[in-house]
Amino acid sequence: MKKHENDDAFEVTEQTILALLQELQTESTPQPAQNEPTEEPLPTEKTALPLSPNSENDAVKEAALFRTLLDVDEDDEDEEEESPAPAPRPTKRRHAVDKRRAPKADSDRVVGDVAVEKPAAEKNLLTRAAGSIFPQKSDPASEIVRKCVFLLSLLVFLCSLGFLLYYMVIEPRRVQNDTARYEKLYTDTATIEETTSGYDYPTGMQATFRRLYDVNRDIAGWLSYSSNDAAKFLNINQPVVHCDNNDTYLSHAFDGSKSRSGTLFLDKNNTVERNMSNRVSIIYGHNMASGMMFAKLNKLLGNVYYARSAPLIHFNTIYENNQYKVFAVIVSDEGADAERYYGYLRTAFADDNDFMNYVAELRARSLYDYPVDVSATDELLILSTCTNKSQVKVADGRMAVIARRVRDNEDTQVNTASITDNADVIMPYAWYTAQGLTPHVFYTETDYHLPDAVGTTAAATVATTATTTVATTTAATDEATPATDPTGSRATRTRTTATTAATTAATTAATAMTAATADVPDISPDESHTTKSNTQTEGTTA
């Protein structure tokens, strides 16, 4: 075997260890007395140090260990010469991975180059946010103005949002809940006698209204008007009240609390008494943007199929139950001038002819033709509300559903397939001008004959009717007209041409009778058109 290049080093190491062992042995050997002479060792070139038996064994073991190490080192060197050295293993950057994965402590988070704790960082963030919104002393004038405008806009936005949230979500939900509660009081008759016995109620009042009467003594009835289509676009189910004015329930709920939705109410000139009836009963209700009250009635304006699905109205008063067949759906303009104004809100009439002419005008202005006849002895029901300008092209529009009471022993069925669009409907004059259309001949031709208008032939009848009309104009205006328009527009209006025309007709007829002349011309349809509003006055609409 060739000599290893480190053999000399190992020899030196071996000698060093042996020297250390000898030194240790010397320290452990007792020293001779000072007076005793010491023997000096004989010099030798390379003599072995005297060892104890144990030391000798240790030295042998150490020598064997060194030889073993030399043999192992020589074997490793031979293997290195026979096989190439393996490729170095890449060093893993564990410290970098750990650094990326380990979350930083709150105290390690920094703002800029300075480490701060989490609460301080949040406080600093809030301070900067407030400084960017609210004016600061160090801000220039333009920046202060910008921030003030922003804050004002933000305030207006939040107020508008709150307003919409209340009136479009909160109040409608409250009205729905209240209506459901009142409906339960009205329809749940199982315990009426037990819960209401002993109380003082109006004589003849139906038992179903007792608990509603306990809530509000102005209760007049219950209105139900629903469509029979699958979508149920119309579902009015509300109590109706009545008092001595048309103002209170515009802004009060059934229980008397303040409410923008108000309550359905009868015209103040109607009567809610036992064994008494109204020739025309008028119920007002708001057109709420939330869809509450009478808002859904406006859907009847746009589609004949809606009209066909809602032909029957139920209105039960506290004394009797009634059903009504719809025969007209009309639109009117509260902003029209006196010459073109048509007032459909009437509760008093001069005579049967006046009433039938009123019915004829309703039919002529109805969007649809209904197969429902009306006689002079019938009682009518009007549901009146406001309209949307986008729908009827009239800024101050009203719409109404008019029905007549189902007669005794009459079938309640209506041939809805016969309900069709009225091809010759008379719309408000503003409806034509707003769309650049030619107005109906009703507005342009003096000899226009109103369909189904009633005329008279005898001069005496003309004189009597005209005189009666003139005499009753003021009374009808005072008695049949609500005191206030719910929308804040005109409270009372009569067509001045009506009284003038009626007076002229009466004078002409009287002169003819005095002169004993032949027949005096009848009041022609165009004269009826001129005098059609002798007693028509604007009423309350909601």
Side-chain angles (χ1 to χ4, degrees), residues 78-356:
D78 294 341
E79 290 177 1
E80 290 175 358
E81 293 176 354
E82 294 175 1
S83 60
R89 299 177 64 183
T91 303
K92 294 184 178 180
R93 301 176 61 186
R94 295 184 179 177
H95 61 283
V97 175
D98 295 340
K99 187 175 181 180
R100 288 195 302 268
R101 293 183 179 178
K104 288 186 177 181
D106 291 343
S107 59
D108 294 334
R109 300 184 181 180
V110 297
V111 176
D113 296 331
V114 182
V116 294
E117 294 182 355
K118 183 178 180 180
E122 292 180 351
K123 183 178 180 181
N124 189 24
L125 181 62
L126 292 175
T127 301
R128 288 190 298 172
S132 63
I133 297 175
F134 297 98
Q136 305 294 317
K137 291 183 179 180
S138 59
D139 291 340
S142 59
E143 183 67 10
I144 293 176
V145 171
R146 185 191 68 81
K147 290 181 178 179
C148 290
V149 171
F150 171 77
L151 291 175
L152 181 61
S153 302
L154 181 62
L155 179 62
V156 172
F157 171 76
L158 293 177
C159 292
S160 301
L161 183 63
F163 180 86
L164 291 175
L165 181 64
Y166 179 78
Y167 287 113
M168 298 297 292
V169 179
I170 298 177
E171 183 171 355
R173 181 63 60 87
R174 182 180 65 83
V175 172
Q176 288 177 351
N177 293 338
D178 289 345
T179 300
R181 178 164 59 92
Y182 300 143
E183 184 177 4
K184 186 175 181 180
L185 293 177
Y186 176 65
T187 58
D188 187 7
T189 60
T191 59
I192 286 181
E193 294 297 335
E194 299 176 6
T195 58
T196 61
S197 59
Y199 291 88
D200 185 19
Y201 297 102
T203 303
M205 187 179 76
Q206 299 189 77
T208 54
F209 286 96
R210 289 181 181 177
R211 284 183 291 204
L212 292 176
Y213 185 84
D214 293 338
V215 177
N216 187 346
R217 296 199 172 191
D218 286 340
I219 182 68
W222 189 275
L223 178 70
S224 298
Y225 187 23
S226 302
S227 59
N228 55 26
D229 62 322
K232 286 289 181 184
F233 81 92
L234 185 64
N235 187 23
I236 299 172
N237 217 21
Q238 298 271 352
V240 180
V241 295
H242 177 256
C243 64
D244 59 359
N245 67 81
N246 289 338
D247 300 326
T248 300
Y249 289 102
L250 288 172
S251 57
H252 288 79
F254 180 72
D255 60 1
S257 62
K258 275 284 190 179
S259 173
R260 187 179 177 86
S261 299
T263 307
L264 304 185
F265 62 95
L266 277 169
D267 188 276
K268 70 169 188 175
N269 295 298
N270 287 137
T271 301
V272 184
E273 298 289 343
R274 188 182 183 187
N275 299 324
M276 294 186 66
S277 61
N278 300 285
R279 200 162 197 178
V280 177
S281 299
I282 305 172
I283 300 178
Y284 305 103
H286 282 303
N287 175 19
M288 301 301 295
S290 61
M292 302 300 295
M293 314 315 288
F294 275 174
K296 295 297 180 65
L297 291 180
N298 280 271
K299 286 196 171 185
L300 292 170
L301 301 178
N303 198 318
V304 68
Y305 298 102
Y306 284 151
R308 291 173 180 172
S309 65
L312 204 63
I313 301 174
H314 298 261
F315 177 48
N316 300 333
T317 69
I318 60 176
Y319 297 108
E320 62 180 356
N321 298 335
N322 295 301
Q323 297 183 76
Y324 295 80
K325 292 182 178 181
V326 178
F327 71 89
V329 176
I330 69 169
V331 175
S332 72
D333 179 16
E334 291 297 297
D337 56 49
E339 194 64 29
R340 297 186 177 96
Y341 173 74
Y342 171 66
Y344 62 91
L345 299 172
R346 298 180 59 185
T347 58
F349 302 89
D351 53 22
D352 289 347
N353 284 348
D354 186 21
F355 176 77
M356 292 307 296

Side-chain angles (χ1 to χ4, degrees), residues 401-423:
V401 178
I402 302 98
R404 67 125 170 113
R405 190 174 69 85
V406 175
R407 302 161 187 149
D408 295 339
N409 302 319
E410 181 187 10
D411 188 3
T412 59
Q413 295 297 319
V414 176
N415 183 11
T416 56
S418 299
I419 301 175
T420 59
D421 289 311
N422 183 358

